[in-house]
Amino acid sequence: MKKGFEKYKPFVPVTLPDRTWPDQHIEKAPIWCSVDLRDGNQALVTPMNVTEKIAFFKLLVEVGFKEIEVGFPSASETEYEFLRALIDNNLIPDDVTIQVLVQAREHLIRKTFEAVKGAKNVIVHFYNSTSELQRRVVFKKDMDGIIDIAVAGAKLVRELTEQDQSGTNFRYEYSPESFSGTETDFAVEICAKVMEALGSTKENPVILNLPNTVELNTCNTFADQVEYFIRKLPNRDAAIISVHPHNDRGTGTACTELAMLAGAERIEGTLFGNGERTGNLDIVTVALNLYTQGIDPELDFSHIDHIREIYESLTRMTVPERWPYAGKLAFTAFSGSHQDAINKGHEYMRETKSEYWEIPYLTIDPADIGREYEPIIRINSQSGKGGAAFIMDHDFGYHLPKAMHPEFGAIVQKECDRTGRELQANEVLALFTNEFLNISKPYALSRAKFYEEAVAGSSANLTHFSGVLSVHNDFLSLEARGNGPIDAFFNALRQAGIENYTFLSYSEHAISSGSDSQAVAYIQLRGPGGQKFYGVGTEHNINFASVKGILSAINRFESGMV
Ligand code: KIV
Ligand code: ZN
């Protein structure tokens, strides 16, 4: 036997030089079919019990699935019992069709028809394996033998439907299982014979489900197989083309999307990609990929954490932290440049009132899938100035001016280096509060008043400041005029001998906590040695907030915090 990679035979792709799928675009949602309760369940270490399956079924209905494969009732007592519980307790909404899987074998098909008695809408999904490898190794049959199995199954399914008196609305699905390893011309031949046996028409089409049972090659080769199959299929209008991708090469999503370009109209998959081996296709990812292209996926993932939690508790599987959309870290940025860009994107959207989502690095608004309250930006030693400013804005409502970001960012980074760990949002707030906000030593105002004074012969008023400044245990009465409150206060400070500081910039906004609304003022000063630094003040009145901001900046300098 050959050793290492030499023992693998390369995949032989179908020949389709005039393929058209690369030029297509996805413009609408496919028909979705969840196979969580069958393919997903059969792949669990501990399969779900009846109660758990009912809870999962309800979740799938809430999400909006209209076709749900509920199991393999002829093969397992639990699945039979579960199906009866759904039917007998009227748990299936009228607009939901249940799908039951069965091998194309007589006794199993008969048992399946018994199991679904009383259901309103049913898809009977029968299959047999068609690939060259399975024919040779497992079934030891030639192509004709494999066609006979499928056609006998189709005839029996049709006969039992025709005999049914219960009023169930039956539809059919046939899967040439292991389609990806089947010669595509043979897949066409067997499906065409099944269609004939079922009497499929445009009005009553069969679902032909093409499973990528095992991903054997790159997703473009699967798309070629799907396009080739559709082109060659006789009576194409009498079939709905479905795909059932697995994920052996980690490209289940890509195979699905390319298959849609190639003409697939229906998709089978599971939530978060549960399923045999490396799993089935993750429907959540494909649906939300559509959503981010402005296409309604017709499934509701607006509370993805809730869906993930139920999924995890029922299946005992976990969604990896970096899984698209649903992973705990899917919307978290640690790196400084990413944080900065996300922060700028938020500011841009706020300022321009953009109707479109225009935030770098985030393909979806986390709020659209119910994730608005989690930290999008997390702070560790890799984070930059924008990250800390984002937390202050997003979590606490402080819009730090841009020029302040480097000064605050450096303080935050120093703290990360000191602690050697990630900082929580409340720790970032504590740093801001302790380092910048209303710092009142050595100087504090114990009393302050502003009023406007008319100037004779001028239309402009002067602002008058009077107050008492406490310095250590001394109290100084101050009184001065200026062109505005800040100018008046600076003139008053000069009288107290505090004159080494130059006013550089000022910004303010309102901030509310509960029903209380305050003004916050950010003041940038230049110190005696040319250093630039900030102080921040909050008060109910904007003039007093500014004065406190000035004193905060001066106090920071005087106490060596700068
Ligand atoms: O993966 C597969 O081929 C299947 C079929 C039974 C549809 O699950
Ligand atoms: Zn499968």
Side-chain angles (χ1 to χ4, degrees):
M1 187 175 165
K2 291 181 189 285
K3 289 211 174 79
F5 62 83
E6 291 176 344
K7 68 176 185 256
Y8 300 97
K9 288 188 203 162
F11 177 80
V12 183
V14 73
T15 310
L16 190 65
D18 59 343
R19 61 182 66 77
T20 61
W21 62 262
D23 294 323
Q24 307 303 315
H25 298 277
I26 301 173
E27 279 160 4
K28 65 178 174 74
I31 302 164
W32 303 107
C33 175
S34 151
V35 295
D36 292 84
L37 294 164
R38 195 276 299 173
D39 222 346
N41 186 57
Q42 80 189 28
L44 292 176
V45 177
T46 312
M48 290 179 264
N49 60 31
V50 173
T51 316
E52 289 167 335
K53 288 191 96 184
I54 291 176
F56 207 121
F57 180 82
K58 289 184 174 164
L59 175 70
L60 295 169
V61 170
E62 258 176 53
V63 166
F65 285 95
K66 301 297 174 204
E67 296 183 5
I68 302 175
E69 190 164 88
V70 290
F72 213 140
S74 61
S76 130
E77 258 322 296
T78 315
E79 308 222 340
Y80 191 95
E81 227 186 284
F82 162 60
L83 176 55
R84 289 315 316 167
L86 288 183
I87 299 169
D88 296 338
N89 298 311
N90 270 327
L91 297 175
I92 309 167
D94 282 353
D95 63 346
V96 170
T97 300
I98 53 162
Q99 176 166 312
V100 279
L101 183 72
V102 61
Q103 285 175 6
R105 292 168 66 189
E106 180 176 349
H107 69 292
L108 299 178
I109 293 176
R110 289 189 186 280
K111 187 158 182 200
T112 303
F113 272 79
E114 275 166 37
V116 298
K117 277 218 161 55
K120 187 167 185 227
N121 300 306
V122 175
I123 296 171
V124 178
H125 176 188
F126 62 103
Y127 73 95
N128 64 325
S129 205
T130 55
S131 68
E132 189 280 326
L133 184 63
Q134 295 250 19
R135 293 193 315 260
R136 180 162 45 89
V137 173
V138 183
F139 297 97
K140 306 200 183 340
K141 280 194 190 296
D142 61 11
M143 287 178 172
D144 287 343
I146 297 291
I147 292 178
D148 289 346
I149 295 173
V151 170
K155 284 185 177 157
L156 182 61
V157 164
R158 185 175 180 182
E159 186 185 315
L160 294 176
T161 310
E162 283 166 3
Q163 284 169 12
D164 181 76
Q165 302 289 317
S166 68
T168 299
N169 168 26
F170 281 108
R171 290 159 61 206
Y172 310 130
E173 173 169 336
Y174 172 68
S175 291
E177 199 241 12
S178 58
F179 165 81
S180 44
T182 303
E183 304 83 334
T184 315
D185 284 313
F186 178 55
V188 170
E189 185 184 349
I190 196 166
C191 287
K193 297 232 162 89
V194 164
M195 285 170 79
E196 257 173 57
L198 290 172
S200 306
T201 59
K202 192 174 176 191
E203 293 66 42
N204 188 14
V206 61
I207 298 166
L208 291 180
N209 186 46
L210 309 179
N212 205 2
T213 305
V214 182
E215 280 196 312
L216 297 174
N217 199 255
T218 50
C219 25
N220 58 309
T221 62
F222 183 60
D224 278 354
Q225 286 174 307
V226 173
E227 181 169 337
Y228 184 100
F229 177 91
I230 293 175
R231 281 204 217 171
K232 293 271 174 120
L233 185 72
N235 201 9
R236 192 258 168 267
D237 285 353
I240 294 169
I241 306 300
S242 175
V243 288
H244 175 108
H246 277 264
N247 198 36
D248 302 79
R249 296 167 58 96
T251 53
T253 300
C255 281
T256 305
E257 292 181 336
L258 298 197
M260 286 164 78
L261 296 178
E265 302 157 290
R266 182 178 182 274
I267 306 296
E268 292 193 349
T270 58
L271 298 183
F272 312 118
N274 182 34
E276 287 292 4
R277 308 180 308 280
T278 50
N280 285 65
L281 155 79
D282 172 20
I283 283 188
V284 181
T285 298
V286 177
L288 290 174
N289 284 353
L290 291 177
Y291 187 97
T292 64
Q293 298 303 304
I295 298 170
D296 179 358
E298 295 168 19
L299 290 177
D300 180 1
F301 292 114
S302 58
H303 295 96
I304 202 139
D305 285 345
H306 165 75
I307 296 168
R308 190 192 65 221
E309 279 157 23
I310 298 185
Y311 162 85
E312 290 186 335
S313 83
L314 295 175
T315 61
R316 294 162 273 264
M317 299 290 292
T318 47
V319 175
E321 293 189 337
R322 300 212 182 272
W323 199 255
Y325 305 106
K328 291 215 172 76
L329 293 177
F331 299 109
T332 299
F334 284 106
S335 121
S337 61
H338 290 211
Q339 295 179 344
D340 191 45
I342 292 172
N343 196 6
K344 287 189 171 123
H346 274 278
E347 278 168 23
Y348 171 82
M349 284 190 63
R350 193 174 50 228
E351 281 160 16
T352 59
K353 300 194 172 40
S354 171
E355 279 187 59
Y356 292 99
W357 181 249
E358 298 187 285
I359 307 249
Y361 297 111
L362 295 180
T363 57
I364 194 168
D365 180 352
D368 287 354
I369 51 174
R371 297 190 64 176
E372 66 268 52
Y373 297 117
E374 69 204 276
I376 291 173
I377 283 185
R378 285 169 53 171
I379 303 297
N380 64 14
S381 57
Q382 303 305 300
S383 314
K385 51 192 167 51
F390 177 89
I391 295 280
M392 291 306 298
D393 190 335
H394 184 262
D395 291 32
F396 305 113
Y398 287 94
H399 312 323
L400 272 54
K402 277 215 177 50
M404 189 179 173
H405 293 189
E407 193 180 353
F408 183 46
I411 288 170
V412 171
Q413 191 149 13
K414 202 164 151 199
E415 182 65 3
C416 289
D417 287 335
R418 191 187 69 76
T419 56
R421 61 171 173 80
E422 179 191 356
L423 296 186
Q424 299 304 311
N426 57 0
E427 295 176 291
V428 175
L429 176 67
L431 282 175
F432 173 80
T433 309
N434 296 337
E435 295 280 341
F436 291 94
L437 191 63
N438 298 334
I439 309 293
S440 57
K441 277 188 181 140
Y443 303 117
L445 273 178
S446 55
R447 261 194 304 116
K449 199 161 85 180
F450 285 101
Y451 57 88
E452 298 287 299
E453 269 182 18
V455 182
S458 160
S459 60
N461 285 348
L462 274 181
T463 306
H464 189 114
F465 170 82
S466 73
V468 175
L469 187 71
S470 67
V471 192
H472 304 301
N473 290 327
D474 286 345
F475 292 92
L476 295 172
S477 288
L478 306 177
E479 190 102 30
R481 289 183 184 78
N483 292 327
I486 291 179
D487 191 38
F489 185 61
F490 258 89
N491 290 338
L493 288 178
R494 263 181 220 113
Q495 287 175 16
I498 306 167
E499 49 194 353
N500 291 332
Y501 301 98
T502 312
F503 174 82
L504 290 181
S505 71
Y506 159 87
S507 68
E508 48 109 347
H509 62 83
I511 190 167
S512 50
S513 61
S515 56
D516 190 34
S517 177
Q518 291 207 323
V520 49
Y522 306 85
I523 306 286
Q524 190 186 28
L525 302 183
R526 184 183 303 115
Q531 316 86 326
K532 292 178 185 173
F533 49 91
Y534 267 90
V536 183
T538 51
E539 256 302 342
H540 288 100
N541 174 300
I542 182 58
N543 290 341
F544 296 136
S546 308
V547 160
K548 278 177 137 181
I550 293 167
L551 286 181
S552 275
I554 294 174
N555 285 334
R556 290 185 68 226
F557 188 84
E558 300 269 331
S559 32
M561 292 164 79
V562 171

Short mmCIF file of all heavy atoms in Angstrom, two decimals, residues 22 80 152 346 365 471:
data_model
loop_
_atom_site.label_atom_id
_atom_site.label_comp_id
_atom_site.label_asym_id
_atom_site.label_seq_id
_atom_site.Cartn_x
_atom_site.Cartn_y
_atom_site.Cartn_z
N PRO A 22 -20.53 31.12 -12.12
CA PRO A 22 -19.69 32.19 -11.56
C PRO A 22 -20.23 33.60 -11.83
O PRO A 22 -19.86 34.55 -11.15
CB PRO A 22 -18.34 31.99 -12.25
CG PRO A 22 -18.33 30.56 -12.68
CD PRO A 22 -19.77 30.27 -13.04
N TYR A 80 -40.01 7.61 16.44
CA TYR A 80 -41.41 7.27 16.17
C TYR A 80 -42.30 7.93 17.22
O TYR A 80 -43.28 8.60 16.91
CB TYR A 80 -41.58 5.74 16.22
CG TYR A 80 -42.92 5.26 15.71
CD1 TYR A 80 -43.08 4.85 14.38
CD2 TYR A 80 -44.04 5.20 16.55
CE1 TYR A 80 -44.32 4.40 13.90
CE2 TYR A 80 -45.28 4.77 16.09
CZ TYR A 80 -45.40 4.36 14.76
OH TYR A 80 -46.62 3.93 14.30
N ALA A 152 -38.10 1.11 -7.15
CA ALA A 152 -39.05 0.32 -6.34
C ALA A 152 -39.52 1.17 -5.16
O ALA A 152 -40.72 1.17 -4.83
CB ALA A 152 -38.37 -0.96 -5.86
N HIS A 346 -18.67 54.21 14.08
CA HIS A 346 -19.83 54.60 14.92
C HIS A 346 -20.01 56.12 14.88
O HIS A 346 -21.13 56.61 14.71
CB HIS A 346 -19.62 54.14 16.36
CG HIS A 346 -20.07 52.74 16.59
ND1 HIS A 346 -21.38 52.41 16.83
CD2 HIS A 346 -19.39 51.57 16.62
CE1 HIS A 346 -21.49 51.10 16.99
NE2 HIS A 346 -20.29 50.56 16.85
N ASP A 365 -24.76 44.66 12.01
CA ASP A 365 -25.01 45.41 13.25
C ASP A 365 -25.34 44.37 14.32
O ASP A 365 -26.35 43.67 14.22
CB ASP A 365 -26.20 46.35 13.02
CG ASP A 365 -26.52 47.16 14.26
OD1 ASP A 365 -25.93 46.90 15.32
OD2 ASP A 365 -27.38 48.06 14.15
N VAL A 471 -7.90 76.39 48.75
CA VAL A 471 -6.58 75.84 48.44
C VAL A 471 -6.04 75.28 49.75
O VAL A 471 -5.81 76.05 50.69
CB VAL A 471 -5.62 76.95 47.94
CG1 VAL A 471 -4.37 76.33 47.35
CG2 VAL A 471 -6.29 77.88 46.98
#
